[in-house]
Amino acid sequence: MSIVKQCIRLQACFLPHTTRPRRIFHSSARLAVIKPFLLADIGEGIKEVQIIQWFVEPEARVEQFSKICEVQSDKAAVEITSRFDGVIKKLYYDAEDMAQVGKPLCDIDVQGDISPADEALITPPAEQAGSSSSPQQPQKAAEQAENPSRNDSALHPSKHSALATPAVRGLLKELDVNIADVTGTGKDGRVLKHDVHEFAASRDSGSLSTSPTPPSQAPTGNIGPQSEQYIALTPIQSQMFKVMTRSLSIPHFLYADEIDVTQLSGLRLRLNAQSANSQKLSILPFIIKAISLALDDFPVLNARIEAGDGSSPPQIVIRQQHNISIAMDTPQGLLVPNIKDIASKSITDIASELSRLRTLALSGKLSVRDLTGGTISVSNIGSIGGTYVSPVLLQSEVAILGIGKTKSIPAFDEQDRVVRKNVVNFSWSADHRIVDGATMARMAELVRGYIEEPGMMMARLK
């Protein structure tokens, strides 16, 4: 038996390695950190923005610089991007909701290390300590619990509702149009104002209906009370409401004149014919350059007023750079970007910058820098129509030019012969607190001279 036992012990020593028990090592998993992603301050004193569209939904994975949502401020549309790698756990707002600066936009399960700078973006302010939710969230959660269908629609918005600006959505409500019925012609299928107007016109004319229209009944004597509808202002309309209310507290005065642009129109046509550039010149870059040249002689019209606080008297602040603002009609409403340092730019440089700003304005992508820092404004309302205009000053400026529609008229030349002339009406508004009528008239006459005699303007170009 002793020999048998020894054999068994020897056999055990040579068992295959896989039959031996192995020691298993465990490593601790990284602890998931779910943090609220705060809406950062985007400058210019903006306190709230409107959510245009979400690019994510709960349980969606995001990386650094992935787009989270697009928001519309008082001035422009901005895309908010993620600073972290992680997974979206919660959205605090629906499309079209107003989001507060400094409040959470969404919750992110952060997967990775967080730098101190990034920690500030996901740490609520002191007054929110102990709660990662916005004070408005209990009410929103209750609303969603009562109406789960609305909650589902928020997580899965339709393509059409995500591709319309607040101004367009306001127009849809005003005209009682379902956005799902409208074919958008903007970028990525975005529904624009003219798309809504065309659809509404076709609907009202009956061209969209295939069923016979019953004959209209003659109105009866008892029509009933007037029907009214309340529509909230879009962010851009809200900003315009506040700015224009303040501006109309400024004492304006108007100076208007008729400008002969015949020679300038001929010069423009010759330059366009000789240029290999696909971008053609209009008369607007020449007018902008003429204003800049005249501001060298009348710097007070490039100034702003520091009103003082009671302890100090009002002051005039002279600004060296000529940053000329251009009013632009966009699907979102009126936007007024500016071209920086006109004095250092050529006519073609100004034309290129105008084209850049117009493209960004139409797509709602103007930056805060594009929209701030203007020193004097130009409104080319004549591109739409009209002869004279009474433009309203911005509070940070003391002068603005309104340009009417160019038209051809018969006139007498120096030999009393009837000739054809192209004329346009200029309407200047100025702040009468610091600009007197004579100063405005002299400035306007100098600009007129540059426009009517382009050679004078070319002689002063650097």
CSV table of all heavy atoms in Angstrom, one decimal, residues 189-237:
chain,number,residue,atom,x,y,z
A,189,GLY,N,-32.5,71.5,-45.3
A,189,GLY,CA,-34.0,71.4,-45.3
A,189,GLY,C,-34.6,72.3,-44.3
A,189,GLY,O,-35.8,72.2,-44.0
A,190,ARG,N,-33.9,73.3,-43.8
A,190,ARG,CA,-34.5,74.3,-42.9
A,190,ARG,C,-35.6,75.1,-43.5
A,190,ARG,O,-35.5,75.5,-44.6
A,190,ARG,CB,-33.4,75.3,-42.4
A,190,ARG,CG,-33.9,76.2,-41.3
A,190,ARG,CD,-32.7,77.2,-41.0
A,190,ARG,NE,-31.6,76.5,-40.4
A,190,ARG,CZ,-31.5,76.3,-39.0
A,190,ARG,NH1,-32.5,76.7,-38.2
A,190,ARG,NH2,-30.4,75.7,-38.6
A,191,VAL,N,-36.7,75.2,-42.8
A,191,VAL,CA,-37.9,75.9,-43.3
A,191,VAL,C,-37.6,77.4,-43.0
A,191,VAL,O,-37.3,77.9,-41.9
A,191,VAL,CB,-39.2,75.5,-42.5
A,191,VAL,CG1,-40.3,76.3,-43.0
A,191,VAL,CG2,-39.4,74.0,-42.8
A,192,LEU,N,-37.8,78.2,-44.1
A,192,LEU,CA,-37.5,79.7,-44.1
A,192,LEU,C,-38.9,80.4,-44.1
A,192,LEU,O,-39.9,79.8,-44.4
A,192,LEU,CB,-36.6,80.1,-45.2
A,192,LEU,CG,-35.3,79.4,-45.3
A,192,LEU,CD1,-34.5,79.9,-46.5
A,192,LEU,CD2,-34.5,79.5,-44.1
A,193,LYS,N,-38.8,81.7,-43.9
A,193,LYS,CA,-40.0,82.5,-43.9
A,193,LYS,C,-40.8,82.4,-45.2
A,193,LYS,O,-42.0,82.3,-45.2
A,193,LYS,CB,-39.7,84.0,-43.6
A,193,LYS,CG,-39.5,84.3,-42.1
A,193,LYS,CD,-39.3,85.8,-41.9
A,193,LYS,CE,-39.2,86.2,-40.4
A,193,LYS,NZ,-39.0,87.6,-40.2
A,194,HIS,N,-40.0,82.6,-46.3
A,194,HIS,CA,-40.7,82.6,-47.6
A,194,HIS,C,-41.4,81.2,-47.9
A,194,HIS,O,-42.4,81.1,-48.6
A,194,HIS,CB,-39.8,83.0,-48.7
A,194,HIS,CG,-38.8,82.0,-49.1
A,194,HIS,ND1,-37.5,81.9,-48.6
A,194,HIS,CD2,-38.8,80.9,-50.0
A,194,HIS,CE1,-36.8,80.9,-49.1
A,194,HIS,NE2,-37.6,80.3,-50.0
A,195,ASP,N,-40.8,80.1,-47.3
A,195,ASP,CA,-41.4,78.8,-47.5
A,195,ASP,C,-42.8,78.8,-46.9
A,195,ASP,O,-43.8,78.3,-47.4
A,195,ASP,CB,-40.6,77.7,-46.9
A,195,ASP,CG,-39.2,77.6,-47.5
A,195,ASP,OD1,-39.1,77.8,-48.7
A,195,ASP,OD2,-38.3,77.2,-46.8
A,196,VAL,N,-42.9,79.4,-45.7
A,196,VAL,CA,-44.2,79.4,-44.9
A,196,VAL,C,-45.2,80.3,-45.7
A,196,VAL,O,-46.4,80.0,-45.8
A,196,VAL,CB,-44.0,79.9,-43.5
A,196,VAL,CG1,-45.3,80.0,-42.7
A,196,VAL,CG2,-43.0,79.1,-42.8
A,197,HIS,N,-44.7,81.5,-46.1
A,197,HIS,CA,-45.6,82.4,-46.8
A,197,HIS,C,-46.1,81.8,-48.1
A,197,HIS,O,-47.3,81.9,-48.5
A,197,HIS,CB,-44.9,83.7,-47.2
A,197,HIS,CG,-44.7,84.6,-46.0
A,197,HIS,ND1,-45.8,85.2,-45.3
A,197,HIS,CD2,-43.6,85.1,-45.4
A,197,HIS,CE1,-45.4,85.9,-44.3
A,197,HIS,NE2,-44.0,85.9,-44.4
A,198,GLU,N,-45.2,81.1,-48.9
A,198,GLU,CA,-45.7,80.4,-50.1
A,198,GLU,C,-46.7,79.3,-49.8
A,198,GLU,O,-47.7,79.2,-50.6
A,198,GLU,CB,-44.5,79.9,-50.9
A,198,GLU,CG,-43.6,81.0,-51.5
A,198,GLU,CD,-42.4,80.3,-52.2
A,198,GLU,OE1,-42.3,79.1,-52.2
A,198,GLU,OE2,-41.6,81.1,-52.7
A,199,PHE,N,-46.4,78.6,-48.8
A,199,PHE,CA,-47.4,77.5,-48.4
A,199,PHE,C,-48.7,78.1,-48.0
A,199,PHE,O,-49.8,77.6,-48.5
A,199,PHE,CB,-46.8,76.6,-47.3
A,199,PHE,CG,-47.8,75.5,-46.9
A,199,PHE,CD1,-47.7,74.3,-47.5
A,199,PHE,CD2,-48.7,75.7,-45.8
A,199,PHE,CE1,-48.6,73.3,-47.1
A,199,PHE,CE2,-49.5,74.7,-45.5
A,199,PHE,CZ,-49.5,73.5,-46.1
A,200,ALA,N,-48.7,79.1,-47.2
A,200,ALA,CA,-49.9,79.7,-46.7
A,200,ALA,C,-50.7,80.3,-47.9
A,200,ALA,O,-51.9,80.2,-48.0
A,200,ALA,CB,-49.7,80.8,-45.7
A,201,ALA,N,-50.0,81.0,-48.9
A,201,ALA,CA,-50.7,81.6,-50.0
A,201,ALA,C,-51.3,80.5,-50.9
A,201,ALA,O,-52.4,80.7,-51.4
A,201,ALA,CB,-49.7,82.4,-50.8
A,202,SER,N,-50.6,79.4,-51.1
A,202,SER,CA,-51.2,78.3,-51.9
A,202,SER,C,-52.4,77.7,-51.2
A,202,SER,O,-53.4,77.4,-51.8
A,202,SER,CB,-50.1,77.2,-52.1
A,202,SER,OG,-49.0,77.7,-52.8
A,203,ARG,N,-52.3,77.5,-49.9
A,203,ARG,CA,-53.4,77.0,-49.1
A,203,ARG,C,-54.6,77.9,-49.2
A,203,ARG,O,-55.7,77.4,-49.4
A,203,ARG,CB,-53.0,76.8,-47.6
A,203,ARG,CG,-54.1,76.2,-46.7
A,203,ARG,CD,-53.7,76.5,-45.3
A,203,ARG,NE,-53.6,77.9,-45.0
A,203,ARG,CZ,-53.1,78.4,-43.9
A,203,ARG,NH1,-52.8,77.6,-42.9
A,203,ARG,NH2,-53.0,79.7,-43.7
A,204,ASP,N,-54.4,79.2,-49.0
A,204,ASP,CA,-55.5,80.1,-48.9
A,204,ASP,C,-56.1,80.3,-50.3
A,204,ASP,O,-57.3,80.6,-50.4
A,204,ASP,CB,-55.0,81.5,-48.4
A,204,ASP,CG,-54.6,81.4,-47.0
A,204,ASP,OD1,-55.0,80.4,-46.3
A,204,ASP,OD2,-53.8,82.3,-46.5
A,205,SER,N,-55.3,80.1,-51.4
A,205,SER,CA,-55.9,80.2,-52.7
A,205,SER,C,-56.6,79.0,-53.2
A,205,SER,O,-57.3,79.0,-54.2
A,205,SER,CB,-54.8,80.5,-53.7
A,205,SER,OG,-53.9,79.4,-53.8
A,206,GLY,N,-56.5,77.9,-52.4
A,206,GLY,CA,-57.2,76.6,-52.7
A,206,GLY,C,-56.5,75.7,-53.6
A,206,GLY,O,-57.0,74.7,-53.9
A,207,SER,N,-55.2,76.1,-54.0
A,207,SER,CA,-54.5,75.2,-54.9
A,207,SER,C,-54.0,73.9,-54.2
A,207,SER,O,-53.6,73.0,-54.9
A,207,SER,CB,-53.3,76.0,-55.5
A,207,SER,OG,-52.4,76.4,-54.4
A,208,LEU,N,-53.9,73.9,-52.9
A,208,LEU,CA,-53.5,72.7,-52.2
A,208,LEU,C,-54.6,71.7,-52.0
A,208,LEU,O,-54.4,70.6,-51.6
A,208,LEU,CB,-52.9,73.0,-50.8
A,208,LEU,CG,-51.6,73.8,-50.9
A,208,LEU,CD1,-51.2,74.1,-49.4
A,208,LEU,CD2,-50.5,73.1,-51.6
A,209,SER,N,-55.9,72.1,-52.2
A,209,SER,CA,-57.0,71.2,-51.9
A,209,SER,C,-57.5,70.5,-53.2
A,209,SER,O,-57.6,71.1,-54.2
A,209,SER,CB,-58.1,72.1,-51.3
A,209,SER,OG,-59.3,71.3,-51.1
A,210,THR,N,-57.8,69.2,-53.1
A,210,THR,CA,-58.3,68.5,-54.2
A,210,THR,C,-59.8,68.3,-54.1
A,210,THR,O,-60.4,67.8,-55.1
A,210,THR,CB,-57.6,67.1,-54.2
A,210,THR,OG1,-57.8,66.4,-53.0
A,210,THR,CG2,-56.1,67.2,-54.4
A,211,SER,N,-60.4,68.6,-53.0
A,211,SER,CA,-61.8,68.4,-52.9
A,211,SER,C,-62.5,69.7,-53.3
A,211,SER,O,-62.0,70.8,-53.1
A,211,SER,CB,-62.2,68.0,-51.4
A,211,SER,OG,-61.7,69.0,-50.6
A,212,PRO,N,-63.7,69.6,-53.8
A,212,PRO,CA,-64.4,70.8,-54.2
A,212,PRO,C,-64.7,71.7,-53.0
A,212,PRO,O,-65.0,71.2,-51.9
A,212,PRO,CB,-65.7,70.3,-54.9
A,212,PRO,CG,-65.9,68.9,-54.3
A,212,PRO,CD,-64.5,68.4,-54.1
A,213,THR,N,-64.6,73.0,-53.2
A,213,THR,CA,-64.8,74.0,-52.2
A,213,THR,C,-66.3,74.3,-52.2
A,213,THR,O,-66.8,74.7,-53.2
A,213,THR,CB,-64.0,75.2,-52.4
A,213,THR,OG1,-62.6,74.8,-52.5
A,213,THR,CG2,-64.1,76.2,-51.3
A,214,PRO,N,-66.9,74.2,-51.0
A,214,PRO,CA,-68.4,74.6,-51.0
A,214,PRO,C,-68.5,76.1,-51.3
A,214,PRO,O,-67.7,76.9,-50.9
A,214,PRO,CB,-68.8,74.2,-49.6
A,214,PRO,CG,-67.5,74.2,-48.8
A,214,PRO,CD,-66.4,73.8,-49.7
A,215,PRO,N,-69.6,76.4,-51.8
A,215,PRO,CA,-69.9,77.9,-52.1
A,215,PRO,C,-69.9,78.7,-50.8
A,215,PRO,O,-70.4,78.2,-49.8
A,215,PRO,CB,-71.2,77.9,-52.8
A,215,PRO,CG,-71.9,76.6,-52.4
A,215,PRO,CD,-70.8,75.6,-52.3
A,216,SER,N,-69.3,79.8,-50.9
A,216,SER,CA,-69.2,80.7,-49.7
A,216,SER,C,-70.6,81.3,-49.4
A,216,SER,O,-71.4,81.6,-50.3
A,216,SER,CB,-68.2,81.8,-49.9
A,216,SER,OG,-68.6,82.6,-51.1
A,217,GLN,N,-70.8,81.4,-48.1
A,217,GLN,CA,-72.1,81.9,-47.7
A,217,GLN,C,-72.0,83.4,-47.5
A,217,GLN,O,-70.9,83.9,-47.0
A,217,GLN,CB,-72.5,81.2,-46.4
A,217,GLN,CG,-72.7,79.7,-46.5
A,217,GLN,CD,-73.8,79.3,-47.4
A,217,GLN,OE1,-74.8,80.1,-47.5
A,217,GLN,NE2,-73.7,78.2,-48.1
A,218,ALA,N,-73.0,84.1,-47.7
A,218,ALA,CA,-73.0,85.5,-47.5
A,218,ALA,C,-72.9,85.8,-46.0
A,218,ALA,O,-73.5,85.1,-45.2
A,218,ALA,CB,-74.3,86.2,-48.1
A,219,PRO,N,-72.1,86.8,-45.6
A,219,PRO,CA,-72.0,87.1,-44.2
A,219,PRO,C,-73.3,87.5,-43.6
A,219,PRO,O,-74.1,88.2,-44.2
A,219,PRO,CB,-71.0,88.2,-44.1
A,219,PRO,CG,-71.0,88.9,-45.5
A,219,PRO,CD,-71.4,87.8,-46.4
A,220,THR,N,-73.6,87.0,-42.4
A,220,THR,CA,-74.8,87.4,-41.7
A,220,THR,C,-74.6,88.7,-40.9
A,220,THR,O,-73.4,89.1,-40.7
A,220,THR,CB,-75.3,86.3,-40.8
A,220,THR,OG1,-74.3,86.0,-39.8
A,220,THR,CG2,-75.5,85.0,-41.6
A,221,GLY,N,-75.6,89.2,-40.3
A,221,GLY,CA,-75.5,90.4,-39.5
A,221,GLY,C,-74.8,90.2,-38.2
A,221,GLY,O,-74.1,91.1,-37.7
A,222,ASN,N,-74.9,89.0,-37.6
A,222,ASN,CA,-74.3,88.7,-36.4
A,222,ASN,C,-72.9,88.0,-36.6
A,222,ASN,O,-72.8,86.8,-36.7
A,222,ASN,CB,-75.2,87.8,-35.5
A,222,ASN,CG,-74.6,87.6,-34.1
A,222,ASN,OD1,-73.7,88.4,-33.7
A,222,ASN,ND2,-75.2,86.7,-33.4
A,223,ILE,N,-71.8,88.8,-36.8
A,223,ILE,CA,-70.5,88.3,-37.1
A,223,ILE,C,-69.8,87.8,-35.8
A,223,ILE,O,-69.1,86.8,-35.8
A,223,ILE,CB,-69.6,89.4,-37.8
A,223,ILE,CG1,-70.3,89.8,-39.1
A,223,ILE,CG2,-68.2,88.9,-38.0
A,223,ILE,CD1,-69.6,90.8,-39.8
A,224,GLY,N,-70.0,88.4,-34.7
A,224,GLY,CA,-69.4,88.0,-33.4
A,224,GLY,C,-68.2,88.9,-33.1
A,224,GLY,O,-67.8,89.8,-33.9
A,225,PRO,N,-67.6,88.7,-31.9
A,225,PRO,CA,-66.5,89.5,-31.5
A,225,PRO,C,-65.2,89.3,-32.3
A,225,PRO,O,-65.1,88.2,-32.9
A,225,PRO,CB,-66.4,89.1,-30.0
A,225,PRO,CG,-66.9,87.7,-30.0
A,225,PRO,CD,-68.0,87.6,-31.0
A,226,GLN,N,-64.4,90.2,-32.2
A,226,GLN,CA,-63.1,90.1,-32.9
A,226,GLN,C,-62.2,89.0,-32.2
A,226,GLN,O,-62.3,88.9,-31.0
A,226,GLN,CB,-62.3,91.5,-32.7
A,226,GLN,CG,-60.9,91.5,-33.2
A,226,GLN,CD,-60.7,91.3,-34.7
A,226,GLN,OE1,-60.8,90.1,-35.2
A,226,GLN,NE2,-60.6,92.3,-35.4
A,227,SER,N,-61.5,88.3,-33.0
A,227,SER,CA,-60.7,87.2,-32.4
A,227,SER,C,-59.2,87.7,-32.4
A,227,SER,O,-58.7,88.3,-33.4
A,227,SER,CB,-60.8,86.0,-33.3
A,227,SER,OG,-59.9,85.0,-32.9
A,228,GLU,N,-58.6,87.5,-31.3
A,228,GLU,CA,-57.2,87.9,-31.1
A,228,GLU,C,-56.3,86.8,-30.7
A,228,GLU,O,-56.8,85.9,-30.0
A,228,GLU,CB,-57.1,89.1,-30.0
A,228,GLU,CG,-57.8,90.3,-30.4
A,228,GLU,CD,-57.6,91.4,-29.4
A,228,GLU,OE1,-57.3,91.1,-28.2
A,228,GLU,OE2,-57.9,92.6,-29.7
A,229,GLN,N,-55.1,86.8,-31.1
A,229,GLN,CA,-54.1,85.8,-30.8
A,229,GLN,C,-52.9,86.4,-30.2
A,229,GLN,O,-52.3,87.3,-30.7
A,229,GLN,CB,-53.8,84.9,-32.0
A,229,GLN,CG,-52.8,83.8,-31.8
A,229,GLN,CD,-52.4,83.0,-33.0
A,229,GLN,OE1,-52.8,83.5,-34.1
A,229,GLN,NE2,-51.8,81.9,-32.9
A,230,TYR,N,-52.4,85.8,-29.1
A,230,TYR,CA,-51.2,86.3,-28.4
A,230,TYR,C,-50.0,85.5,-28.8
A,230,TYR,O,-50.0,84.3,-28.8
A,230,TYR,CB,-51.3,86.3,-26.9
A,230,TYR,CG,-52.3,87.3,-26.3
A,230,TYR,CD1,-53.7,87.0,-26.3
A,230,TYR,CD2,-51.9,88.5,-25.9
A,230,TYR,CE1,-54.6,87.9,-25.8
A,230,TYR,CE2,-52.8,89.5,-25.4
A,230,TYR,CZ,-54.2,89.1,-25.4
A,230,TYR,OH,-55.1,90.1,-24.9
A,231,ILE,N,-49.0,86.2,-29.3
A,231,ILE,CA,-47.7,85.5,-29.8
A,231,ILE,C,-46.6,86.0,-29.1
A,231,ILE,O,-46.3,87.3,-29.0
A,231,ILE,CB,-47.6,85.7,-31.3
A,231,ILE,CG1,-48.8,85.1,-32.1
A,231,ILE,CG2,-46.3,85.0,-31.8
A,231,ILE,CD1,-48.7,85.3,-33.6
A,232,ALA,N,-45.8,85.2,-28.5
A,232,ALA,CA,-44.6,85.6,-27.7
A,232,ALA,C,-43.5,86.1,-28.7
A,232,ALA,O,-43.4,85.6,-29.8
A,232,ALA,CB,-44.0,84.5,-26.9
A,233,LEU,N,-42.8,87.1,-28.3
A,233,LEU,CA,-41.7,87.7,-29.1
A,233,LEU,C,-40.6,86.6,-29.2
A,233,LEU,O,-40.3,85.9,-28.2
A,233,LEU,CB,-41.1,88.9,-28.5
A,233,LEU,CG,-42.1,90.1,-28.4
A,233,LEU,CD1,-41.3,91.3,-27.8
A,233,LEU,CD2,-42.6,90.5,-29.8
A,234,THR,N,-39.9,86.5,-30.4
A,234,THR,CA,-38.7,85.7,-30.5
A,234,THR,C,-37.6,86.4,-29.8
A,234,THR,O,-37.7,87.6,-29.5
A,234,THR,CB,-38.4,85.5,-32.0
A,234,THR,OG1,-38.0,86.8,-32.5
A,234,THR,CG2,-39.5,84.9,-32.8
A,235,PRO,N,-36.5,85.7,-29.5
A,235,PRO,CA,-35.3,86.3,-28.9
A,235,PRO,C,-34.8,87.6,-29.6
A,235,PRO,O,-34.5,88.6,-29.0
A,235,PRO,CB,-34.3,85.2,-28.8
A,235,PRO,CG,-35.1,84.0,-28.8
A,235,PRO,CD,-36.3,84.2,-29.6
A,236,ILE,N,-34.8,87.5,-30.9
A,236,ILE,CA,-34.3,88.7,-31.7
A,236,ILE,C,-35.3,89.8,-31.6
A,236,ILE,O,-34.9,91.0,-31.5
A,236,ILE,CB,-34.0,88.3,-33.1
A,236,ILE,CG1,-32.8,87.4,-33.2
A,236,ILE,CG2,-33.8,89.5,-34.0
A,236,ILE,CD1,-32.4,86.9,-34.6
A,237,GLN,N,-36.6,89.5,-31.7
A,237,GLN,CA,-37.6,90.6,-31.5
A,237,GLN,C,-37.6,91.2,-30.1
A,237,GLN,O,-37.7,92.4,-29.9
A,237,GLN,CB,-39.0,90.0,-31.8
A,237,GLN,CG,-39.3,89.7,-33.2
A,237,GLN,CD,-40.6,88.9,-33.4
A,237,GLN,OE1,-41.0,88.2,-32.6
A,237,GLN,NE2,-41.2,89.2,-34.6
